[in-house]
Amino acid sequence: MKVSVNVTYKEDPETAGNVSSRHVKASCEEPVEAMDSQCPGLTGLRNLGNTCYMNAILQCLCSVPPLVEYFLSGKHKAALNKENGESAAAFGCLMSDMWCGQFDCVSPEVFYLLLGKRYPAFSKRTQQDAQEFLISVLNELHEALKKSSKRRCITDAKASSGSVSETSIITELFEGQLSYDIMCLECKATGDRPESFTVLSLPVPAKSPCSLQDCLKCFFQQDTLTWNNQIYCSWCGTKQDAAVKGTITKAPQIIIFHLKRFEWQGKHRRKLSTEICYPLSNLDLAPYSSLLACQATAYSLCAVVNHSGFLDDGHYTAFCKHSVTEAWYSFDDAQITEIPSSSVQTDTAYLLFYASQGLLCTH
């Protein structure tokens, strides 16, 4: 779909470090869809040239209710770190434009230019990976909005030590915790290794069709570390084969799954078109969680990033559930179309955003 967009800058875009996305005025000559009035949160994004990956991610993030509430309420302004807060400020302005209900389409160029200064790979206007862009955006927002707090860590009955914890709206919503139980296969000594995550990259089983639960089972199944992957066992004093199994010890409020559809086959990369069935509600993570994490393990789907086509000439779109109307919409750059819930299940799903059902009930 070709859309003509008129963009007027109050300042030169090359000096976008001194502007915000409110300085970008965009209007689409072709309407999004035939609507009596523009609904807040249903705003298209102009494609700046191979930036469909960015537009799909932005639409998904702007469909997460507590994140929308945080930015629209202006809470981010008080938390903003002035040294590196330009991208986060532009993100907040862009979200405000997308939720004000005044525009069919807006340009994300200011945010794009500012983020590109921090992550040059995304400034080249070439095709990029949506999952890598998502991680960069979450990291950038966290760095700009983080606050440090001291917490007391008890190490034994006689001593205590303090550590500094950095939190932000990003860690509060998206960060989870895994614990890897490791057992030396020689002496049977055990240990554990904690690891934080914001995106879980799940292997895609060879069989087709398969389910999201099949992908989760592959990720959380016990693995054996041998050869170059051996661990150093302090009890044996040498490297040994080990058994490793992961468990979710802290379930995030928003859990994002990356379906690993791109894999290396010899010297070439190929795309897996495996049909993966994923639930729209009542996703249960209890089988992969510790008892402490079980209270937040029931999830509902709130957004999907799709990738169609091939590695070199693919296209990203997003499906998002509107937090107010609870209807599903397809976002294809500037074009927005309401879709039935039955159409949300596709064989092009690449990223799945699930929200805790308890979280959705409170917003």
Side-chain angles (χ1 to χ4, degrees), residues 234-291:
S234 57
W235 290 97
C236 296
T238 59
K239 286 188 173 182
Q240 298 289 350
D241 291 352
V244 179
K245 191 175 189 305
T247 304
I248 298 174
T249 52
K250 176 193 171 188
Q253 296 187 62
I254 308 293
I255 190 164
I256 306 171
F257 298 116
H258 164 226
L259 303 177
K260 297 172 68 175
R261 291 194 178 276
F262 303 118
E263 68 172 16
W264 288 99
Q265 192 173 49
K267 296 182 179 179
H268 303 284
R269 239 178 138 205
R270 67 166 185 149
K271 180 183 177 182
L272 300 175
S273 298
T274 306
E275 182 181 344
I276 302 172
C277 180
Y278 43 89
L280 269 63
S281 62
N282 298 319
L283 171 66
D284 186 13
L285 295 183
Y288 320 106
S289 307
S290 68
L291 291 176

Side-chain angles (χ1 to χ4, degrees), residues 20-89:
S20 74
S21 62
R22 289 196 183 283
H23 293 138
V24 180
K25 304 298 181 183
S27 61
C28 296
E29 293 181 358
E30 186 173 341
V32 172
E33 282 289 308
M35 299 180 183
D36 294 333
S37 61
Q38 180 65 21
C39 179
L42 294 180
T43 303
L45 292 172
R46 178 194 172 203
N47 191 312
L48 307 176
N50 293 316
T51 57
C52 58
Y53 67 91
M54 173 181 69
N55 290 347
I57 293 298
L58 290 176
Q59 292 290 4
C60 289
L61 290 177
C62 290
S63 296
V64 175
L67 190 66
V68 172
E69 179 184 321
Y70 178 81
F71 277 94
L72 294 190
S73 67
K75 293 178 182 177
H76 68 288
K77 296 178 182 178
L80 210 58
N81 298 320
K82 295 182 180 180
E83 303 81 34
N84 58 352
E86 291 179 328
S87 296

Side-chain angles (χ1 to χ4, degrees), residues 13-14 16-17 48 51 53-54 58 84 86-88 90-91 108-126 128 132-133 136-137 140:
E14 295 299 324
L48 307 176
T51 57
Y53 67 91
M54 173 181 69
L58 290 176
N84 58 352
E86 291 179 328
S87 296
F91 180 86
E109 184 151 11
V110 171
F111 174 74
Y112 173 79
L113 292 171
L114 291 172
L115 191 75
K117 289 183 178 180
R118 303 271 291 171
Y119 299 89
F122 299 118
S123 66
K124 300 176 182 178
R125 308 218 180 200
T126 56
Q128 301 290 335
E132 294 175 1
F133 180 78
S136 298
V137 172
E140 180 70 2

